[in-house]
């Protein structure tokens, strides 16, 4: 297994800075997702690691080997593209054998390694078929097998599920993650789909405008975003502004907000007197038609409801001009115009500095 180290990588396209002194370490056997909106630099990063783009500054290392100047064919990587890039005139077996033959592997070993790779992706029966005779999911698995059959040092995947329908895409997320863990290969995965990144990754790298905004395990990014921008990008969220009255036990702050005084876990940099931004996820809120007891319970009016299939979303208006949305089960009978009580689970809140990052 290989460790990937990226040091102060920079890349410009004309006047546009695609990467701005980007540094990242991917440990052996780890699956890291590069996540961000279009134009954030995630694909440029992947292409620099693959050797398809030459950085203007910085270094890329596989373990202690500096590969920054090596051409793609000498980097020993497996690559899976968004469009699969299978040779249409070759059978599945021939597609897999091509890379081995280019490496002068003996025919006996080629046949055995092709069979092993197809067994790995559960397509042994498809070795004589052509790509046009396969479903989208099967073509994706062939592309994975072709990348892995050469036994690369690292696996790179560029939006590999973008062309699949929703149900197959969900299925392939788990398939790729399970396969990566079984093989144990270090993997760099590019996606703009936050659910995909959260499900599949050991750690997620959130990128904006050519820079890394935050790196961490999926749960950490979701529960403890480092900035408003990250909080907005990872999952659905809503914000309430406030002023820090005091810190409690080193981990929580007491906030004065338009909703009243609230207590929440907080970034270490928040101090008394500072303006804060309270990150409120839907699951932190519990809605009931009748009043409930609790230290952090608010009375509001339901102004809109939306049936979403698996849940109902209610938008509530509160004093101070604040509105929040909360979810209930599909059987909920809370209608627009009703008074309702919103209970807040302070453990699932997160307070940030109103400006800057945590």
């Amino acid at each position: 297994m290989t460790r990937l180290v990226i040091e102060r990588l920079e890349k410009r396209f004309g006047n546009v800075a695609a990467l701005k002194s980007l540094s990242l370490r991917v440990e052996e056997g780890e699956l890291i997702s590069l996540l961000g909106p279009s134009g954030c630099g995630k694909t440029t990063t992947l292409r620099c690691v693959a050797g398809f783009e030459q950085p203007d500054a910085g270094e890329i290392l596989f373990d202690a080997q500096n590969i920054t100047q090596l051409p793609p064919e000498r980097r020993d990587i497996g690559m899976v593209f968004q469009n699969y890039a299978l040779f249409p005139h070759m059978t599945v077996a021939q597609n897999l054998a091509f890379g081995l033959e280019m490496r002068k592997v003996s025919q006996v070993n080629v046949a055995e390694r092709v069979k092993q790779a197809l067994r790995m992706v559960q397509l042994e029966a498809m070795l004589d078929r052509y790509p046009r005779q396969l479903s989208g999911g099967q073509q994706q698995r062939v592309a994975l097998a072709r990348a892995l059959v050469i036994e690369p040092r690292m696996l790179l995947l560029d939006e590999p599920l973008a062309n699949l329908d929703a149900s197959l895409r969900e299925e392939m997320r788990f398939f790729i993650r399970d396969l990566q863990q079984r093989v144990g290969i270090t993997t760099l995965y590019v996606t703009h789909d936050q659910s995909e990144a959260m499900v599949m990754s050991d750690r997620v790298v959130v990128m904006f405008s050519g820079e890394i905004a935050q790196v961490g395990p999926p749960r950490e990014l979701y529960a403890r975003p480092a900035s408003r921008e990250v909080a907005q990008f990872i999952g659905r969220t809503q914000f309430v502004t406030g002023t820090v009255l005091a810190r409690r036990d080193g981990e929580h702050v007491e906030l004065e907000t338009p909703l009243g005084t609230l207590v929440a876990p907080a970034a270490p940099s928040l101090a008394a007197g500072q303006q804060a931004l309270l990150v409120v996820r839907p699951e932190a809120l519990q809605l009931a038609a009748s009043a409930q007891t609790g230290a952090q319970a608010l009375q509001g009016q339901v102004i809109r409801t939306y049936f979403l299939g698996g849940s109902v979303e209610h938008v509530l208006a509160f004093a101070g001009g604040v509105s929040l949305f909360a979810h209930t089960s599909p059987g909920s009978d809370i209608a627009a115009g009703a008074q309702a009580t919103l209970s807040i689970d302070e453990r699932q809140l997160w307070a940030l500095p109103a400006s800057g990052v945590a």
Side-chain angles (χ1 to χ4, degrees):
M1 292 188 288
T2 300
R3 177 185 294 107
L4 167 66
V5 177
I6 300 172
E7 292 284 358
R8 301 179 300 278
L9 206 64
E10 297 182 8
K11 180 64 181 176
R12 299 187 68 86
F13 295 100
N15 294 325
V16 178
L19 298 177
K20 305 170 185 175
S21 194
L22 184 143
S23 296
L24 176 68
R25 178 183 294 266
V26 183
E27 299 298 335
E28 295 180 1
E30 191 175 28
L31 191 155
I32 291 281
S33 286
L34 303 181
L35 175 68
S38 297
C40 71
K42 55 187 186 294
T43 294
T44 300
T45 303
L46 190 81
R47 289 177 62 82
C48 286
V49 174
F52 301 144
E53 298 287 354
Q54 189 63 38
D56 298 314
E59 294 182 339
I60 302 169
L61 293 88
F62 283 3
D63 294 327
Q65 180 189 7
N66 189 330
I67 65 160
T68 312
Q69 303 299 325
L70 285 181
E73 64 272 16
R74 293 184 56 196
R75 298 195 180 198
D76 195 13
I77 59 168
M79 185 86 184
V80 180
F81 299 92
Q82 181 176 330
N83 62 359
Y84 316 141
L86 301 176
F87 298 119
H89 61 288
M90 294 183 180
T91 65
V92 167
Q94 290 169 338
N95 264 279
L96 268 64
F98 181 78
L100 297 172
E101 291 167 351
M102 292 297 99
R103 288 164 172 78
K104 310 299 183 183
V105 177
S106 70
Q107 286 300 313
V108 173
N109 286 335
V110 166
E112 181 58 30
R113 285 169 65 171
V114 166
K115 288 180 181 178
Q116 288 177 352
L118 288 176
R119 191 176 306 121
M120 191 185 304
V121 297
Q122 302 169 16
L123 288 177
E124 305 100 303
M126 306 290 183
L127 79 168
D128 292 323
R129 295 194 184 183
Y130 289 90
R132 65 179 180 275
Q133 297 173 310
L134 304 176
S135 68
Q138 289 170 336
Q139 290 183 46
Q140 181 60 273
R141 282 189 275 165
V142 172
L144 278 167
R146 187 178 63 178
L148 292 170
V149 73
I150 61 173
E151 299 177 354
R153 298 175 68 180
M154 181 167 296
L155 181 63
L156 307 178
L157 301 102
D158 187 11
E159 302 272 12
L161 307 182
N163 293 329
L164 302 180
D165 61 55
S167 59
L168 185 55
R169 184 172 185 145
E170 185 170 340
E171 177 184 327
M172 285 301 298
R173 290 173 187 170
F174 297 106
F175 181 87
I176 292 174
R177 178 55 167 161
D178 179 67
L179 179 62
Q180 183 269 337
Q181 289 182 314
R182 283 190 282 118
V183 175
I185 189 170
T186 308
T187 302
L188 197 60
Y189 190 102
V190 164
T191 182
H192 66 274
D193 186 316
Q194 56 179 278
S195 298
E196 200 169 288
M198 300 291 270
V199 166
M200 298 177 63
S201 310
D202 293 302
R203 289 186 296 148
V204 177
V205 179
V206 182
M207 297 179 63
F208 300 115
S209 303
E211 298 178 293
I212 293 177
Q214 189 173 354
V215 183
R219 286 180 181 272
E220 178 184 304
L221 290 184
Y222 186 82
R224 301 290 184 261
S227 66
R228 179 180 187 134
E229 198 172 22
V230 173
Q232 285 179 313
F233 194 77
I234 302 291
R236 292 197 68 191
T237 192
Q238 46 208 327
F239 301 99
V240 176
T241 57
T243 302
V244 180
L245 298 176
R247 287 204 70 95
R248 291 188 178 183
D249 63 36
E251 295 183 2
H252 294 72
V253 292
E254 185 177 340
L255 295 168
E256 183 61 40
T257 78
L259 297 172
T261 301
L262 300 174
V263 175
S269 59
L270 268 180
Q274 277 189 285
Q275 294 299 299
L277 195 66
L278 191 63
V279 179
V280 184
R281 301 291 191 184
E283 58 272 16
L285 308 176
Q286 294 292 322
L287 187 63
S290 57
Q292 297 176 334
T293 59
Q296 298 193 145
L298 307 171
Q299 196 74 20
Q301 183 178 27
V302 179
I303 55 175
R304 289 189 299 275
T305 63
Y306 303 99
F307 179 70
L308 304 177
S311 65
V312 179
E313 181 172 296
H314 307 271
V315 181
L316 288 87
F318 298 92
V322 176
S323 63
L324 296 172
F325 62 82
H327 293 166
T328 60
S329 67
S332 170
D333 58 359
I334 303 175
Q339 292 293 314
T341 297
L342 196 65
S343 297
I344 302 179
D345 183 353
E346 69 174 40
R347 297 168 300 177
Q348 298 189 66
L349 301 177
W350 177 241
L352 290 167
S355 59
V357 296

